[in-house]
Amino acid sequence: MLESLKQEVYEANLLLPKYGIVTFTWGNVSGIDRERGIFAIKPSGVPYETLRPEDIVLVDLETGKVVEGELNPSSDTPTHRVLYEEFPTLGAVVHTHSPWAVSFAEAGLPIEAMGTTHADSFYGDVPVTDALTREEIESAYEENTGKVIVRTFSKLGLDPDAVPAVLVRQHGPFTWGPTPKKAVENAKVLDVVAEMNYHALQLTRADCRVPQYLLDKHYYRKHGAHAYYGQAQR
Ligand SMILES: O=C(CO)[C@@H](O)[C@@H](O)COP(=O)(O)O
């Protein structure tokens, strides 16, 4: 069932090591068939070198239960599921431990929109969530990771289509997009921009964020009219 979705998700997962944004078995990519209410996700703990299309696991969005697959779905499956449920336009979700984005997540810092490289993909700062509470961690860590992401976007009034990325405090980045390939590209751009921001912040402590009009113009050029739909960052 859903062989083409599984193939697409399989190929997107292989882009993670290709782009150098995962180590060992860290990270995972999923993609969703909204009509059937089923998403396909990387199996847990499987090395990318040995991953096969038939290893991709199918999960029911409503129940969270595996509907096809011999292997266990990624441990982050509940997080992906919350994001699909709460952000209905998402076609795919990616989680990595890419080092530069994780550095900002661990420092509790957003990745600020400091230049056009950023604005090409993200309509403003990429936010960092609050740390999960002890109760959230000990009760349902992955599900609560999804919930803290949704809470952060709601609190900041952000449009997930305009800012397809977030940093989970004390953990790492999640990105998303209309397709698995696009969601992975957003994950790679996020880590590149995080590295650029790190170096900019070493050079100066001045506020280097671009003015809203540059963000609007540049993002609009790449993404069209809905760029203005996004929440003004300041
Ligand atoms: O975030 C983590 C671990 O902190 C996971 O994404 C990573 O280990 C990958 O786990 P899975 O192999 O997808 O279960």
Side-chain angles (χ1 to χ4, degrees), residues 25-28 42-46 73-76 95-97 141 171:
T25 64
W26 303 343
N28 36 74
K42 181 182 179 289
S44 183
V46 175
S74 166
S75 55
D76 297 305
H95 171 50
T96 76
H97 285 217
Y141 178 59
H171 188 169

Side-chain angles (χ1 to χ4, degrees), residues 10-88:
Y10 161 74
E11 290 172 4
N13 271 281
L14 294 192
L15 293 177
L16 296 182
K18 179 181 178 184
Y19 291 161
I21 50 178
V22 294
T23 303
F24 303 133
T25 64
W26 303 343
N28 36 74
V29 181
S30 69
I32 190 166
D33 180 317
R34 290 280 180 189
E35 281 181 22
R36 296 182 185 219
I38 293 175
F39 63 96
I41 192 164
K42 181 182 179 289
S44 183
V46 175
Y48 292 92
E49 305 79 32
T50 61
L51 184 67
R52 302 167 305 168
E54 56 267 38
D55 295 332
I56 300 299
V57 182
L58 296 181
V59 178
D60 183 278
L61 178 63
E62 187 178 352
T63 66
K65 295 192 181 316
V66 172
V67 295
E68 185 181 293
E70 301 300 317
L71 302 171
N72 292 321
S74 166
S75 55
D76 297 305
T77 298
T79 307
H80 290 238
R81 181 172 169 237
V82 168
L83 295 178
Y84 284 128
E85 286 181 323
E86 299 298 327
F87 294 160

Side-chain angles (χ1 to χ4, degrees), residues 1-2 4 36 71 74 82 85 91 100 117 122 126 142 149 157 163 167 175 180 191 202 217 228:
M1 179 168 64
L2 292 177
S4 60
R36 296 182 185 219
L71 302 171
S74 166
V82 168
E85 286 181 323
W100 292 102
T117 317
F122 310 111
V126 173
E142 289 78 11
I149 292 171
V163 182
L167 303 174
T175 61
D191 207 60
Q202 297 302 306
K217 179 168 175 53
Y228 291 99

Side-chain angles (χ1 to χ4, degrees), residues 52 94 102 123 210 220:
R52 302 167 305 168
V94 173
V102 167
Y123 184 63
V210 297
Y220 176 84

Side-chain angles (χ1 to χ4, degrees), residues 171-185:
H171 188 169
F174 284 80
T175 61
W176 48 83
T179 66
K181 182 172 186 291
K182 186 59 189 166
V184 171
E185 288 172 0

